[in-house]
């Protein structure tokens, strides 16, 4: 097990606090009976708290398997942590103020908030690119199955962040053109792709971590990780096509639904197999 560095502890604690923020805002949203949709909904504080909290914890853990010089790692993870806090705090603040957090240029203050959110997203992308480049460049002190899983997870994270950047860019263009409502509609189309790709860095490396406890050869572990990667890639591709064409995953064609369903089943079976073998190996040692 990798040694937990100080910067990782900070990221874990911060991620937990951000996640807690999302939980608290969920309670507030339910208790208030407020709408779950729209740019003024408290839902944004919920989703940003939960998503950034979980993603920060996951990135800190997954990148612990990437070989990076300590000082560089401190800077990268520190920037990612700081940007996550700023993004969540500003979105939550705007939700409490009852104004949109993104594409809002009504006042100088709101314009500064929207600009800061966009800049924060840029810093997050830069850190993710740096971690991905490091993961692709070196083998690191880990197993081939985990190395493969982390590389895929980071690539998928870049896809998610790219979708997020595209949402911001298209929304800003619409808002600056005097169509604020169109900004939210246009940007929202890529949310499913953003969400699905974002959590690959948790699911696939999590599978590889489970396989470390299985009484399997490393070659067999790598094969199962490849199966999971193939399934997740197919799922992401289907959701991506739906997002680009403006089709809701709940209103997709039968072919798209079946393809996505099969990919989900394969992912589930892969996870179940890894968990079963890990439990079996554990029981043999007792």
């Amino acid at each position: 097990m990798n040694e937990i560095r100080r910067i990782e502890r900070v990221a874990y604690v911060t991620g937990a606090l951000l996640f807690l923020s999302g939980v608290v805002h969920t309670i507030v949203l339910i208790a208030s009976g407020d709408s779950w949709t729209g740019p003024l909904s408290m839902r944004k504080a919920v989703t940003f708290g939960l998503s950034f909290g979980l993603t920060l914890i996951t990135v800190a853990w997954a990148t612990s398997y990437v070989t990076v010089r300590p000082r560089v790692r401190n800077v990268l993870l520190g920037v990612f942590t700081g940007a996550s806090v700023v993004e969540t705090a500003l979105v939550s603040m705007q939700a409490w103020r009852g104004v949109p957090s993104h594409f809002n240029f009504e006042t100088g203050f709101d314009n500064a908030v929207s600009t800061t959110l966009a800049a924060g997203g840029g810093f997050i992308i830069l850190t993710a690119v740096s971690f991905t480049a490091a993961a692709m460049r070196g083998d690191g002190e880990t197993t081939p199955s985990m190395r493969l899983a982390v590389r895929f997870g980071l690539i998928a994270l870049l896809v998610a962040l790219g979708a997020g950047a595209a949402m911001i860019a298209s929304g800003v263009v619409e808002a600056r053109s005097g169509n604020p409502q169109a900004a939210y509609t246009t940007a929202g189309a890529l949310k499913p792709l953003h969400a699905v790709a974002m959590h690959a860095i948790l699911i696939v490396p999590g599978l590889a971590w489970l396989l470390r406890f299985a009484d399997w050869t490393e070659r067999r572990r790598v094969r199962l990780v490849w199966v999971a990667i193939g399934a997740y890639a197919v799922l992401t591709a289907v959701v991506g096509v739906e997002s680009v064409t403006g089709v809701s995953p709940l209103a997709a064609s039968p072919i798209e639904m079946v393809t996505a369903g099969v990919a989900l089943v394969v992912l589930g079976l892969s996870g179940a197999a890894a968990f079963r073998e890990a439990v079996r190996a554990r029981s043999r040692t007792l």
Side-chain angles (χ1 to χ4, degrees):
M1 181 177 181
N2 288 13
E3 179 186 355
I4 300 179
R5 305 171 182 89
R6 181 178 179 182
I7 187 62
E8 290 166 10
R9 293 193 185 95
V10 172
Y12 292 147
V13 172
T14 304
L17 291 174
L18 293 179
F19 192 88
L20 179 60
S21 169
V23 172
V24 170
H25 281 103
T26 301
I27 296 172
V28 171
L29 180 56
I30 294 174
S32 66
D34 192 13
S35 172
W36 287 80
T37 60
L40 304 182
S41 174
M42 189 66 72
R43 167 194 53 81
K44 295 195 71 175
V46 172
T47 55
F48 268 69
L50 297 177
S51 296
F52 266 106
L54 183 59
T55 300
L56 176 56
I57 292 171
T58 303
V59 167
W61 168 71
T63 57
S64 67
Y65 295 97
V66 177
T67 300
V68 183
R69 285 182 296 177
R71 288 186 179 180
V72 175
R73 176 172 180 74
N74 288 344
V75 171
L76 292 178
L77 197 50
V79 169
F80 197 99
T81 301
S84 298
V85 171
V86 170
E87 295 282 304
T88 305
L90 290 181
V91 167
S92 300
M93 178 191 69
Q94 295 294 73
W96 280 102
R97 292 181 65 222
V99 298
S101 55
H102 293 83
F103 322 133
N104 183 0
F105 311 112
E106 293 298 320
T107 68
F109 180 77
D110 292 325
N111 183 50
V113 170
S114 294
T115 302
T116 302
L117 288 171
F123 279 113
I124 289 174
I125 291 174
L126 286 176
T127 57
V129 169
S130 299
F131 274 128
T132 304
M136 294 297 181
R137 184 174 59 250
D139 290 341
E141 298 178 4
T142 186
T143 60
S145 55
M146 177 59 80
R147 184 161 58 248
L148 174 64
V150 169
R151 285 174 175 174
F152 174 77
L154 286 169
I155 291 173
L157 179 62
L158 290 181
V159 172
L161 295 176
M167 287 192 287
I168 295 296
S170 62
V172 167
V173 170
E174 292 291 346
R176 293 292 190 184
S177 301
N179 299 309
Q181 189 56 48
Y184 299 109
T185 302
T186 303
L190 293 177
K191 283 183 180 179
L193 172 60
H194 179 69
V196 170
M198 179 72 73
H199 298 297
I201 195 170
L202 170 62
I203 294 174
V204 180
L207 171 71
W209 178 81
L210 272 177
L211 286 173
R212 298 179 72 182
F213 300 99
D215 190 20
W216 282 7
T217 63
E218 183 58 23
R219 184 176 181 180
R220 191 176 180 184
R221 295 188 185 106
V222 169
R223 283 203 299 265
L224 186 60
V225 169
W226 269 118
V227 169
I229 287 174
Y232 211 108
V234 169
L235 177 63
T236 303
V238 171
V239 174
V241 170
E242 293 168 352
S243 297
V244 171
T245 56
V247 176
S248 168
L250 300 178
S253 68
I255 293 179
E256 290 170 333
M257 284 191 170
V258 169
T259 304
V262 170
L264 283 171
V265 169
V266 172
L267 271 175
L269 291 176
S270 299
F275 180 76
R276 181 194 62 196
E277 293 304 318
V279 171
R280 284 182 176 178
R282 176 65 177 174
S283 64
R284 293 191 192 103
T285 61
L286 296 179

